[in-house]
Amino acid sequence: MPIPRALAAAIADELQGLPSQTLKDAAARLSLSYRTQEAVLALGCDADRLAYCAARMPATYAAIETALAEVGDAFAAARSLLDVGAGPGTAAWAIADRLPGLAALTCLEAHAPWAALARRFAARSETSALRNAVWLTGDAATAPLPAADLVSATYLLNELPEAETGGIVKRLWNAAGLGLLLVEPGSRAGFARIAVARETLLAQGAAFVAPCTHHSACPMRPGDWCHFSVRLEREAFHRHAKAANLSYEDEKFSYLIAVKVKVPSPEGEARIIRRPMRASGRVTLDLCGKSGLARTTIPRSAGPAYRRAKMAQWGDLWRSRD
Ligand SMILES: C[S@@+](CC[C@H](N)C(=O)[O-])C[C@H]1O[C@@H](n2cnc3c(N)ncnc32)[C@H](O)[C@@H]1O
């Protein structure tokens, strides 16, 4: 799904005052900073922040939304959300959309100008919880974190020194009543943060809802990384900021959804961790499950399993039995 229309309109309105070339230059700087792993956002000016909203926010929103599609009813009882490293409020918008029962939203952000921009966006939401959200300025590593049913941190950990990951994840976990949602870029560096978060959470007794279907050590091989992909239609301002011709882009992301109360995952369930390879009369799936990584080929002769495999997508759950 694209970002909500109210949010798209709010971004478009904010961009009105920004000269076109300034936006493109800022988007190019942003893109370079991602390639070179330098966090420019923390030091950013208005143009940098608006470039993020135009060129990155639709994609981070799509990634968060795709991860949220895997929560099932794990957070159905959630009434409060704490989003840390909120930036323009991307996760708050996506989560409020997914969990209409949320009544209290708190967003913590290190840099006050982000919170000011995010407040202007939230004022345009049709969701009262978002319009009434509390925006706090503070550092994820040191600020008091108000308790909430659900805690989220999206595209935050990769902006911080890797050595801080475990400590911050523990803080997020301690603030969460029901569980935690983490989303990071689908890069080696992004997954490295998710892998540390996973280990940290396992040591805290967390249970995973997705993408992991088991609680053994992560079987991902060194140099490889668990990630998924979502295709999103580009908004006009998105194409303009990136000087892009294509009407869509693919956002790669890594994520982890952890809960406090264990939910048994059905026996024999595994996650499809690569794009399925389809050939005449067979489908090959790369899976991650209880017994580790596995590649399985499902021939046409498998009947119903083959029909399921033909429809299966990267990121879906796969049941070995019908
Ligand atoms: C890449 S943006 C992600 C924004 C938003 N969560 C999203 O998914 O689109 C990272 C945000 O984290 C904020 N940030 C960076 N370091 C932080 C820290 N130590 N504590 C709180 N926020 C921080 C940045 O200012 C920025 O707004």
Side-chain angles (χ1 to χ4, degrees):
M1 276 226 305
I3 55 173
R5 294 302 80 200
L7 177 56
I11 296 173
D13 286 353
E14 289 284 340
L15 290 169
Q16 292 274 324
L18 196 66
S20 167
Q21 195 54 48
T22 308
L23 173 64
K24 285 183 181 160
D25 290 347
R29 269 201 308 279
L30 188 60
S31 166
L32 181 68
S33 80
Y34 281 115
R35 286 201 300 276
T36 55
Q37 291 280 309
E38 273 171 39
V40 289
L41 288 168
L43 309 167
C45 56
D46 284 351
D48 289 340
R49 280 183 287 276
L50 288 175
Y52 183 86
C53 297
R56 289 294 300 142
M57 192 179 185
T60 63
Y61 182 95
I64 297 163
E65 193 185 44
T66 307
L68 282 169
E70 300 299 320
V71 297
D73 55 9
F75 299 134
R79 296 291 170 265
S80 55
L81 167 73
L82 170 67
D83 181 42
V84 179
T90 325
W93 278 81
I95 295 171
D97 205 43
R98 177 84 200 178
L99 301 176
L102 282 179
L105 268 61
T106 306
C107 297
L108 181 95
E109 164 56 47
H111 301 278
W114 265 126
L117 180 61
R119 261 196 216 103
R120 291 201 293 280
F121 288 162
R124 307 272 293 263
S125 169
E126 287 160 12
T127 307
S128 62
L130 202 48
R131 287 197 306 276
N132 298 327
V134 174
W135 300 87
L136 304 175
T137 306
D139 189 317
T142 52
L145 299 182
D149 295 333
L150 171 58
V151 175
S152 58
T154 61
Y155 292 83
L156 168 71
L157 299 175
N158 195 41
E159 303 260 310
L160 306 174
E162 195 168 352
E164 286 182 17
T165 306
I168 290 183
V169 168
K170 250 191 229 170
R171 282 169 57 74
L172 301 175
W173 184 245
N174 289 339
L178 292 174
L180 175 64
L181 166 73
L182 300 172
V183 183
E184 290 297 325
S187 60
R188 267 173 226 243
F191 174 66
R193 302 308 203 276
I194 293 289
V196 172
R198 189 182 187 280
E199 264 180 38
T200 307
L201 291 168
L202 264 184
Q204 303 294 307
F208 302 125
V209 175
C212 312
T213 59
H214 61 90
H215 298 88
S216 314
C218 176
M220 205 51 59
R221 297 180 191 100
D224 199 357
W225 64 103
C226 173
H227 66 288
F228 304 92
S229 181
V230 56
R231 176 157 293 182
L232 63 137
E233 294 297 316
R234 285 175 164 147
E235 304 285 337
F237 56 69
H238 190 171
R239 278 208 306 275
H240 179 71
K242 287 186 141 177
N245 292 324
L246 277 181
S247 63
Y248 65 88
E249 70 182 34
D250 293 326
E251 172 70 4
K252 304 269 178 14
F253 64 98
S254 294
Y255 75 102
L256 187 62
I257 301 169
V259 288
K260 300 253 163 163
V261 177
K262 258 194 169 62
V263 275
S265 50
E267 202 51 36
E269 225 169 43
R271 182 75 55 185
I272 301 173
I273 56 160
R274 299 262 180 276
R275 203 178 294 287
M277 291 170 278
R278 301 179 214 283
S280 170
R282 64 179 192 278
V283 180
T284 300
L285 301 176
D286 283 313
L287 301 170
C288 180
K290 210 171 186 171
S291 39
L293 301 176
R295 175 168 283 189
T296 181
T297 296
I298 297 120
R300 183 177 283 134
S301 58
Y306 174 67
R307 283 192 288 281
R308 278 196 293 118
K310 278 210 307 185
M311 305 300 290
Q313 301 292 331
W314 182 8
D316 285 354
L317 282 173
W318 175 256
R319 270 178 295 109
S320 54
R321 289 189 210 93
D322 280 300

